[in-house]
Amino acid sequence: MAIQVGEKAPDFELKDNHGRAVKLSDFRGHQNVVLLFYPFAFTGVCTGELCELRDNLPEFSDRDTQLLAVSNDSIHTLRVFAEQEGLEYPLLSDFWPHGETSRAYGVFDEDKGCAVRGTFVIDKEGVVRWTVVNGLPDARDLNEYVKALDTL
């Protein structure tokens, strides 16, 4: 079961597509976070979602929000994916221990070995304020994230 609205977001430390450590708690007190889990780099729906976010990045930065996208791909895969698609926000690797952070948020599909499409809007205090979890084939609506951020 996915983390629910009102719960404290589980802290994590993951490597980004450049090998830098990123901790959720580093944003506490400074920025809201949109934490987006997606199944795999280089797949159709994921690429479409992440490119839509790329094209609308001011929707987040203008709302004092850091976008963090997490998959179970390796950092090497994520580096190439980010370069190919021009993604300038952090792509975090939940590769090893495989799916540990995805599991902590309740969005890891054990049968498929990857995260499902879960999104968590986390306020500056580290509390989940909005969430949506979609199945693997179902893209999320970026406008819903923006509406949720506007309520913070």
Side-chain angles (χ1 to χ4, degrees), residues 101-152:
T101 300
S102 305
R103 282 184 183 91
Y105 279 81
V107 295
F108 190 77
D109 183 323
E110 296 290 342
D111 294 332
K112 302 247 187 310
C114 66
V116 296
R117 296 181 197 287
T119 304
F120 303 87
V121 172
I122 302 165
D123 70 13
K124 292 178 183 177
E125 307 314 310
V127 176
V128 175
R129 295 297 177 193
W130 183 87
T131 183
V132 65
V133 178
N134 287 5
L136 290 177
D138 302 321
R140 293 158 283 197
D141 183 352
L142 170 92
N143 295 318
E144 295 298 319
Y145 309 165
V146 174
K147 286 181 198 171
L149 287 169
D150 285 342
T151 66
L152 299 181

Side-chain angles (χ1 to χ4, degrees), residues 12-32:
F12 59 81
E13 181 175 326
L14 296 172
K15 299 276 188 194
D16 72 6
N17 46 304
H18 298 288
R20 296 178 294 230
V22 175
K23 290 173 61 175
L24 180 63
S25 56
D26 289 345
F27 300 97
R28 201 161 294 140
H30 304 289
Q31 284 184 293
N32 303 307

